[in-house]
Amino acid sequence: MDLIRLEHKKLWRKTSVKISVLLFFIYTVVIGNILVYQWFTFGSSNHDSYSPFGNNFDGYSMIKESQEYSRTFGGTLTDETLQKMVSDYQTNHQAAKAGDEAADRKEDQTDWQIIDHWISGLYPELKDADRYQIMISYVAPEKLTGFYDRRTQAIEDFLAAGGQTGAEREYLMQLEEKVKKPFSYEYVEGWSTLLGSTVAELGTVLALFLAIILSPMFSGEWRDNTSPLLLTTKNGWKEIARAKIIVGLLFSVELFVLFAGSMLFCQSIYLGWTGWNMPIQTIKLLSIAPMNMLQAELYEYAFAFLGSISFAGVVLLISAAVKNNVFALLFSLAAVYGPMMIVQYLPFSLQKALDLLPLVGSSTDIFRTNTFCIFGKYIWSPYLLITVPVLVGMLCLPFTVRKWAKKLKK
């Protein structure tokens, strides 16, 4: 324990670690949460710019007003609810064009982007090709009927178009049957941003800073020329290696807890937990996952947590195998960002295989219908995306000790 404690202090005392954590905090919490909630995404539009910087700095009040407005629709998504949403939007839109500021603000409070996505996906025959406007602004509300029947047909068509037929289609439709209908409805846009980008991108950013901080854990001993001293220490090289591994994994946990806690704190202030029981299908209609918003958020945090621990194991192996700090960092970054760069040029089967590497895949797979076929059985991809990377990371640890010992004894 003393050795682990000393290695832990040694890591946190580094200037590079302190600077990295500060930058991570600024990017993730200040820019990625506070400014997104208060300004970039949820601030009311001043119509002077199409950039997020053109929004007003009033995100908190807009979110609360939007949540309150959504409750006027009764909390359940039916044909009548959808028609009322569209009718209200069109009324406010016309009044806003005439200069009514109250109607303009009310228009911003509507889940208009989400609703327009529902309409364009389920009612394509109502689209007017001669109009260069979003459908929600002109479609006749009374024609928006059969919402759930149309959604089922859209899922069937999507699976058929993607070649997901037979046993795979049956497996996915069994998941879809567990989705509770009619959907509960409250303000969706906040959860859409939270699950689609804010939490979903945490793992990608964690990978960058874990690579910077952990890549010198072993390779740095060569730069500091401490290898002769390590061979004479009373603890032995194996004990030191194990202590470094434990500290590296512990640091990945600490980094995740620090920033996940900060993000949850920001969420509790701005969004709260209103609408936690809405199905994720209100974000993406063709999703087949029987999950509500809270379950999806827990999954995405679990993905980032387990992925960061797994990726730490990969970085430690690279650090033990490479004597040069720069090369250790480059190889560590390549281990996660390299597959992301080339994945779009590979066959779909290889794309899915690369997703199983630590922090390479995306937690947003919960909105997709991707599967893996193992021994003739289909498995929904999100199940494997949080289990296989852990196995990869843990398998790296014994090889880390051996690699470092081999280089140390040379």
Side-chain angles (χ1 to χ4, degrees), residues 180-345:
K180 186 177 179 181
K181 307 176 190 69
F183 302 156
S184 59
Y185 173 78
E186 290 193 48
Y187 179 54
V188 177
E189 188 64 35
W191 286 101
S192 177
T193 300
L194 184 72
L195 300 179
S197 58
T198 304
V199 181
E201 293 174 0
L202 178 60
T204 304
V205 183
L206 273 170
L208 172 62
F209 288 94
L210 286 174
I212 293 171
I213 294 169
L214 298 183
S215 59
M217 282 286 287
F218 289 99
S219 62
E221 300 293 352
W222 297 100
R223 184 200 63 183
D224 298 336
N225 199 29
T226 59
S227 55
L229 179 62
L230 293 174
L231 287 172
T232 62
T233 180
K234 67 175 182 177
N235 293 299
W237 58 266
K238 282 188 178 180
E239 286 74 13
I240 295 175
R242 288 167 184 158
K244 286 180 176 292
I245 288 172
I246 291 173
V247 169
L249 298 178
L250 179 61
F251 178 81
S252 68
V253 173
E254 292 171 334
L255 197 64
F256 170 83
V257 171
L258 177 63
F259 292 98
S262 300
M263 291 167 65
L264 286 169
F265 178 74
C266 293
Q267 177 186 345
S268 65
I269 292 176
Y270 283 94
L271 287 178
W273 305 97
T274 298
W276 66 269
N277 60 339
M278 281 189 296
I280 62 172
Q281 284 69 26
T282 53
I283 295 176
K284 185 172 181 180
L285 279 176
L286 301 189
S287 172
I288 47 82
M291 282 184 170
N292 60 37
M293 300 297 185
L294 183 58
Q295 291 170 330
E297 183 176 9
L298 291 174
Y299 175 88
E300 292 197 348
Y301 274 120
F303 175 90
F305 175 69
L306 296 173
S308 62
I309 296 175
S310 306
F311 183 65
V314 174
V315 174
L316 291 171
L317 174 59
I318 294 172
S319 179
V322 180
K323 291 185 177 181
N324 185 286
N325 279 357
V326 175
F327 286 140
L329 173 59
L330 291 177
F331 289 144
S332 297
L333 293 174
V336 64
Y337 295 111
M340 292 181 185
M341 293 172 61
I342 66 172
V343 69
Q344 59 181 319
Y345 305 108

Side-chain angles (χ1 to χ4, degrees), residues 9 100-101 106 111 120 125 137 156 170 260 284 297 329 362-363 367:
K9 287 182 178 179
D100 187 333
E101 294 184 3
K106 185 68 71 175
D111 277 319
S120 60
E125 74 280 4
S137 66
E156 294 273 8
E170 183 179 352
K284 185 172 181 180
E297 183 176 9
L329 173 59
S362 172
S363 59
F367 295 104

